Amino acid sequence: MKKDQEDKGIAIYHVVRKNEGLWSEKLGISFFENVVIWETTYTAKERKYLFLELKKEIPDLVGISLRDRDDESYNTVDATLIDKSQTVIPDLCFIKWRRRYIENYLFCPHAIARLAQRPVDDIIQHFQQYHGLALGDNFTMSDVPSPIYEARGKEIICTNEYSIEKIFGVSKHEIAKEMNAEEICDDVKTLINLVIEKFGMEIEEGLVTT
């Protein structure tokens, strides 16, 4: 998947993403500079077909397909992020977020408070009062309470009348950029480790830990 290896890898994403790159940089890794990102809303079946067609021309091609879980069952994915609903095929790894949307990984009161220049308790209270979410120290864990992983994160962060963006004036990308390494969720670190493992990247040992 490195560009200096004749672009023999591909990351197939659900939609245009900036957050993964921002988070990897916070963890000291700039691997998104060395990968080919194919941003698409294709279904898993369509992605599989695309990958297999490309592999006919690039036999050494390997890839990762990442998407939101959306309304699919929580039981179709675990802490490995491997999508259990997809048939395994060689050299293409189907993964998806455990939480409903990537925005669910942005429920970070401290980062939002710093951006909005508000007390962190104001942010925590807002999440609880308007979105029914009690956010504690376990926010970064892969195994979080169901209200956090099932929440309508896109609405809560971006589009709801009481969304973080509308009430506090901070965007999802600003939140991702503001989060420090300790505030980045374990699932994100798992994704980064999968990319490193899948594409044979050489980084400092133990740099990304969950």
Side-chain angles (χ1 to χ4, degrees), residues 99 134-145 148:
R99 303 184 190 186
L135 300 177
D137 295 336
N138 62 351
F139 159 75
T140 61
M141 296 172 59
S142 184
D143 293 314
V144 293
I148 294 176

Side-chain angles (χ1 to χ4, degrees), residues 106-131 133-135 156-157 162 164 167-170 175:
L106 298 174
F107 299 164
C108 183
H110 288 275
I112 296 167
R114 292 194 299 268
L115 286 167
Q117 297 184 339
R118 298 278 293 271
V120 68
D121 287 345
D122 287 0
I123 311 301
I124 293 173
Q125 183 179 359
H126 179 84
F127 271 105
Q128 187 161 8
Q129 180 176 350
Y130 292 99
H131 305 296
L133 296 176
L135 300 177
I156 292 171
I157 296 295
Y162 298 103
I164 298 301
I167 299 300
F168 298 104
V170 296
I175 298 170

Side-chain angles (χ1 to χ4, degrees), residues 56-95:
K56 291 177 183 178
E57 303 297 326
I58 314 172
D60 294 334
L61 186 69
V62 292
I64 287 178
S65 170
L66 170 67
R67 61 192 180 94
D68 288 337
R69 181 171 59 82
D70 295 320
D71 294 327
E72 295 177 11
S73 171
Y74 181 70
N75 294 325
T76 59
V77 61
D78 57 25
T80 66
L81 302 187
I82 300 300
D83 188 348
K84 299 177 184 179
S85 67
Q86 299 302 319
T87 303
V88 176
I89 66 172
D91 297 326
L92 177 60
C93 182
F94 285 99
I95 63 177

Side-chain angles (χ1 to χ4, degrees), residues 15 30 144:
V15 294
S30 297
V144 293

